Amino acid sequence: MFDVDDIRDWRGLPVVDKDGGKIGKLEAVYFDTATEEPSFATVKVGLPGGGRLVFVPLAGARVSPGHLRVIVDKKTAKDAPSIGTDGELEAAEEPGIYGHYGLDYQVGANGERRLGRR
C-alpha cells in the first residue's frame, strides 16, 4: 500500500486502470475505520462541470508522479456505486460498494460504519 500523507498533492491526478486506461481524476481517499488503512478512492468521472464520484478500491494501487494506477478495469470502475460531486457517502451505501468489487463487508464491533473520509 502507499503512504497517504500527501493526498492533497495527488488530488486531481488521473486515475488509470490496470491497463493504463484513464478512469477519471482522484477526488478523495476513504479509510477503513477499523484499520486506518486507505481502502477506497473516489474518482471523478463524467463531463467537466458535472459528473459523479465513483468508488474504486485501493488494494494493490500504485502512485507515480503522473497518475494513480488501480488494479480494476475501467468499465468495472465506471459502473461502480457513486455519489454526486457534492454528495456524501451514507453508511447504508457502504455494503454496495464492497459488493460491487466482490469484497466482504462487515460493520464494526459496535455497528460503526466501515469507511471514513479524511
Side-chain angles (χ1 to χ4, degrees):
M1 189 49 66
F2 53 89
D3 187 358
V4 295
D5 285 344
D6 298 325
I7 190 63
R8 285 179 292 242
D9 294 340
W10 300 338
R11 284 188 69 183
L13 283 181
V15 176
V16 299
D17 71 3
K18 59 185 181 175
D19 299 318
K22 184 177 178 186
I23 298 170
K25 294 193 179 230
L26 179 65
E27 193 274 335
V29 170
Y30 283 74
F31 293 81
D32 185 313
T33 58
T35 66
E36 295 297 316
E37 293 291 323
S39 55
F40 284 90
T42 50
V43 180
K44 185 174 182 188
V45 298
L47 300 173
R52 59 195 171 92
L53 302 174
V54 296
F55 287 83
V56 178
L58 291 174
R62 296 286 176 245
V63 175
S64 75
H67 63 269
L68 171 67
R69 183 181 302 272
V70 294
I71 62 169
V72 299
D73 64 84
K74 182 177 179 177
K75 179 171 179 7
T76 301
K78 288 198 171 188
D79 290 343
S82 64
I83 58 175
T85 56
D86 59 352
E88 290 188 26
L89 176 64
E90 300 293 330
E93 297 170 313
E94 291 181 1
I97 294 168
Y98 281 79
H100 178 76
Y101 293 104
L103 303 171
D104 291 331
Y105 178 81
Q106 295 179 347
V107 295
N110 296 315
E112 59 271 350
R113 65 184 308 158
R114 182 85 181 263
L115 295 176
R117 179 180 170 180
R118 288 197 193 139

